[in-house]
């Protein structure tokens, strides 16, 4: 990427200044920290492009860290899918980490907080904790367990760790300020008891650390300099700083002794958190809870159903990684919460595919057309360009006989005003073949047009015509399944109500055409090849189901933005 294409934004400016000032010894270390409880979606792409992009642009490093502190919803299948998606987007991590790699350090740090009188074991249950917490306008109340002695706290915490207490019966809490105007600082939980196996650490731990506590320590241990996260963590930043200031890991590296021998080559840092606005897209939902629900209720056909906003679905839909990166550049990085028009994504896809997708012909709603003045068994092979503006994309052979299919909508018996395609006794250009005249219209008993007869003009006798239509040869072409996808929801904000977002699913978001026709050079492509089907749109051969003998194409996007225009 040249400097001119590199979008400037407040985070880039901040990092530039930090590097120039020699902050963090001039290092730039970022991380992308997904929780492995679902597939990555297009919102995550913004965070990926930002974190990996900043490391790349400043000669730094970026870690992939699985934020796996809540084993209830986490799964190894998600871990694998997340890695695959990041690679597909075009990024490579410098180190792969897990928050669970640091469970022993978190534990030692918690003991330190207890010893320093900064944390206590609390016996309130979840409802009581809520009552004591207060509200936005009323301060909270101290827990009756807040003044336990260090010895008692250390003993109880050891026993929590040893699995002596029931789930939810106790928590370890930070002792900060129950009257703080920031509710996050009202003695937040550090550890909860949860006797459940973890995908990485098995049964080793009956207690699990809370996100805010684990995240800042993980950042420091990995030498992260710039901890970039979304705006909802802005109110958590004081807590992020509080933990790091209490523990001062740079001055107390012995707290991380359990990591000795681990491949941790970057010195412990004092990271700083900076927040940016999420990427929101209209006509979709992005919360993982909802995406999980769409999949588990069978409302879509899995995580990579081409209508889903997940990266694996967008990929299957035929969206390119380059188009997603372009979207992220265009949207920019700000603190302004906005909702991006779905059309902006589609525009990025068209822009990329217009340049990079070869052209092919396909007919989605076939109407037979016989060129009567060609002899039975006639076959001609022509060489045609794969891309009208890009000769370096080469040519392909295209054969035809006398029996073709054209698009049903390219013929009108009673044409509306301005119709430039085929009409009875009218002329039209068949792309790459020449100009034909419609000399006959065949109908079934109900009057439905079932075939056209035409004659091909000699090139020097052909009249001038205004319209050009595409075709597929019935003898040389192949039948194909084509799936037309559209927006998964039929309202811009499915979460806005009334009712559930599920009520707003677009019933027409998927149309399957079982008997479309495509030219052989499309059928014989590898899976996951993108084409512009001329005059129709951009399509991709399905990465799971496409076979040369049984071609399957997904529509990536139509040629033009016609959403909402009937
Ligand atoms: P959910 O709340 O739906 O579970 P999440 O934000 O918790 O999603 P994580 O796996 O924790 O998902 O996210 C990993 C990283 O990606 C975080 O740093 C998060 O801030 C960022 N991220 C998630 N969604 C978006 C988004 N829509 N735009 C930009 N960044 C995002
Ligand atoms: Mg999260």
């Amino acid at each position: 990427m040249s400097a001119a294409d590199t979008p400037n934004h407040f985070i880039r400016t901040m990092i530039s200044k930090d590097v120039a000032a020699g902050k963090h010894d001039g290092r730039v270390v970022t991380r992308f920290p997904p929780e492995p409880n679902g597939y990555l979606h297009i919102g995550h792409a913004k965070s990926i492009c930002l974190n990996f992009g900043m490391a790349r642009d400043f000669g730094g490093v970026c870690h992939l860290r699985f934020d796996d502190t809540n084993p209830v919803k986490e799964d190894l299948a998600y871990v694998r899918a997340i890695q695959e998606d990041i690679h597909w987007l075009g990024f490579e991590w410098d180190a792969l980490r897990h928050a669970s790699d640091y469970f022993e350090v978190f534990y030692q740090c918690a003991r330190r907080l207890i010893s320093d009188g900064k944390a206590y074991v609390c016996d309130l249950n979840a409802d009581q904790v809520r009552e004591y917490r207060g509200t936005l306008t009323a301060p909270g109340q101290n827990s009756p367990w807040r003044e336990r002695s260090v010895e008692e706290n250390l003993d109880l915490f050891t026993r929590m760790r040893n699995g002596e207490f029931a789930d939810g019966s106790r928590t370890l809490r930070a002792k900060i300020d129950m009257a703080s105007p920031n509710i996050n600082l009202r003695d937040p939980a550090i550890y909860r008891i949860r006797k459940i196996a973890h995908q990485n650490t098995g049964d080793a731990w009956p207690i699990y650390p809370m996100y805010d506590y684990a995240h800042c320590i993980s950042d420091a241990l990995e030498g992260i300099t710039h901890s970039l996260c979304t705006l909802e963590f802005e109110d958590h930043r004081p807590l992020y700083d509080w933990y790091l200031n209490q523990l001062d890991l740079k001055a107390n590296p012995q707290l991380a002794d359990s990591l000795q021998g681990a491949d941790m080559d970057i010195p412990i840092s004092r990271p700083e958190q900076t927040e940016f606005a999420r990427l929101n897209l209209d006509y979709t939902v992005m919360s993982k809870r909802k995406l999980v629900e769409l999949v588990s209720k069978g409302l879509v056909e899995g995580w990579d159903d081409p209508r889903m906003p997940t990266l694996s679905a967008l990929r299957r839909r035929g969206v390119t990684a380059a188009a997603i990166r372009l979207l992220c550049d265009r949207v920019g990085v700000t603190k302004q919460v906005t909702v991006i028009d779905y059309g902006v994504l589609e525009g990025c896809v068209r822009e990329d595919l217009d340049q990079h997708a070869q052209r092919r012909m396909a007919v989605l709603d076939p109407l037979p057309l016989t060129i009567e003045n060609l002899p039975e068994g006639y076959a001609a092979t022509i060489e045609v360009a794969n891309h009208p503006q890009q000769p370096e994309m080469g040519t392909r052979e295209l054969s035809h006989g006398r029996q073709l299919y054209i698009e049903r909508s390219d013929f009108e018996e009673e044409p509306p005003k301005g119709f430039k395609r085929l009409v009875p006794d009218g002329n039209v250009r068949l792309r790459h073949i020449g100009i034909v005249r419609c000399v006959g219209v065949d109908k079934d008993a109900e009057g439905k047009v079932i075939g056209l007869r035409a004659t091909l003009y000699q090139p020097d006798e052909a009249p001038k015509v205004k319209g050009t239509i595409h075709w597929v040869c019935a003898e040389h072409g192949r039948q194909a399944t084509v799936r037309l996808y559209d927006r998964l929801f039929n309202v811009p904000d499915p979460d806005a109500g009334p009712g559930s977002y599920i009520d707003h699913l677009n019933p027409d978001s998927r149309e399957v055409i079982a008997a479309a026709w495509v030219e052989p050079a499309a059928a014989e492509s590898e899976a996951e090849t993108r084409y512009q089907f001329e005059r129709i749109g951009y399509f991709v051969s399905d990465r799971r189901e496409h076979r040369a003998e049984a071609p399957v194409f997904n529509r990536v996007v139509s040629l033009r933005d016609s959403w909402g225009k009937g």
Side-chain angles (χ1 to χ4, degrees), residues 257-477:
D257 272 354
S258 63
L259 292 177
Q260 261 172 17
D263 158 37
M264 305 282 285
D265 45 1
I266 301 169
I268 289 177
S269 61
R270 175 59 174 86
E272 284 178 22
Q273 174 178 308
T274 307
E275 308 84 14
F276 61 94
R278 283 181 171 255
L279 173 71
N280 300 305
L281 201 58
D282 63 6
Y283 292 99
T284 191
V285 293
M286 267 192 295
S287 119
K288 273 189 267 187
R289 182 181 69 72
K290 289 173 188 157
L291 298 178
V292 168
E293 185 171 44
L294 288 170
V295 173
S296 64
K297 289 197 169 155
L299 298 168
V300 293
E301 296 176 351
W303 283 100
D304 69 349
D305 182 306
R307 296 165 293 181
M308 290 277 276
T310 57
L311 295 180
S312 57
L314 288 161
R315 174 177 181 183
R316 189 153 180 216
R317 172 81 171 256
V319 170
T320 57
I324 294 177
R325 294 193 304 262
L326 180 62
L327 175 78
C328 292
D329 282 351
R330 270 208 186 139
V331 166
V333 181
T334 67
K335 283 190 182 275
Q336 215 71 47
V337 178
T338 54
V339 180
I340 303 301
D341 185 320
Y342 198 88
V344 177
L345 169 63
E346 293 180 327
C348 292
V349 175
R350 286 189 192 102
E351 209 169 302
D352 183 39
L353 293 184
D354 180 41
Q355 280 185 53
H356 296 114
Q358 294 193 7
R359 277 32 175 182
R360 294 290 185 269
M361 289 199 290
V363 171
L364 301 191
D365 186 5
L367 176 62
L369 178 146
T370 309
I371 306 179
E372 291 191 316
N373 60 342
L374 294 179
E376 292 285 348
Y378 173 90
T381 298
I382 40 197
E383 185 151 325
V384 301
N386 283 328
H387 193 291
Q389 286 93 38
Q390 312 220 34
E392 66 281 5
M393 282 197 189
T395 60
R396 67 186 187 279
E397 289 188 340
L398 183 62
S399 300
H400 76 90
R402 75 198 289 267
Q403 195 69 56
L404 310 181
Y405 291 113
I406 65 167
E407 210 67 71
R408 184 168 284 278
S409 59
D410 281 335
F411 173 77
E412 285 287 352
E413 259 196 304
E414 283 156 34
K417 209 166 153 246
F419 189 79
K420 299 196 180 83
R421 293 160 283 162
L422 201 54
V423 299
D425 300 315
N427 302 317
V428 80
R429 180 183 300 279
L430 291 175
R431 183 134 170 86
H432 303 301
I433 295 181
I435 292 167
V436 291
R437 178 176 193 82
C438 176
V439 297
V441 180
D442 299 323
K443 296 181 181 176
D444 66 10
E446 275 90 55
K448 183 181 178 196
V449 177
I450 51 168
L452 301 176
R453 284 167 279 123
T455 51
L456 177 64
Y457 289 95
Q458 290 301 317
D460 50 352
E461 293 166 1
K464 281 215 167 2
V465 292
K466 289 224 174 83
T468 299
I469 64 175
H470 62 274
W471 51 271
V472 170
C473 177
E475 292 140 76
H476 299 89

Side-chain angles (χ1 to χ4, degrees), residues 69-72 121-124 156-173 189-197 205-210:
T69 52
N70 179 4
V72 181
V121 173
C122 179
D123 299 0
L124 295 181
L156 286 171
F157 186 50
T158 307
R159 291 166 62 193
M160 277 172 67
R161 192 263 172 271
N162 292 341
E164 289 183 30
F165 306 125
D167 278 20
S169 60
R170 295 195 154 96
T171 51
L172 182 71
R173 296 176 70 179
I190 301 178
Y191 269 96
R192 58 209 182 304
I193 302 173
R194 201 157 273 184
K195 291 180 185 153
I196 175 168
W205 294 88
I207 54 173
Y208 289 96
M210 302 302 289

Side-chain angles (χ1 to χ4, degrees), residues 11-116:
I11 290 184
R12 183 185 297 280
T13 307
M14 171 190 75
I15 297 179
S16 284
K17 280 192 191 141
D18 288 351
V19 169
K23 198 165 174 180
H24 309 290
D25 297 323
R27 264 190 304 273
V28 175
V29 186
T30 58
R31 84 289 170 266
F32 173 64
E35 188 178 351
N37 61 351
Y39 280 57
L40 296 181
H41 54 59
I42 189 157
H44 290 115
K46 176 170 177 179
S47 178
I48 295 171
C49 289
L50 178 64
N51 279 294
F52 285 91
M54 289 300 95
R56 174 197 60 209
D57 295 351
F58 288 96
V61 301
C62 181
H63 295 176
L64 168 59
R65 181 198 312 140
F66 286 105
D67 211 325
D68 54 353
T69 52
N70 179 4
V72 181
K73 294 182 194 154
E74 295 168 4
D75 197 291
L76 271 181
Y78 297 137
V79 169
R80 279 189 286 271
I82 288 170
Q83 297 186 45
E84 184 179 340
D85 289 344
I86 296 173
H87 276 146
W88 174 73
L89 249 196
F91 297 101
E92 181 63 76
W93 45 91
D94 296 282
L96 175 63
R97 310 276 192 213
H98 306 82
S100 57
D101 299 339
Y102 314 132
F103 277 177
E104 183 61 31
V105 185
F106 299 152
Y107 181 68
Q108 294 306 331
C109 288
R111 298 187 70 86
R112 161 59 64 99
L113 290 175
I114 295 171
S115 300
D116 290 348

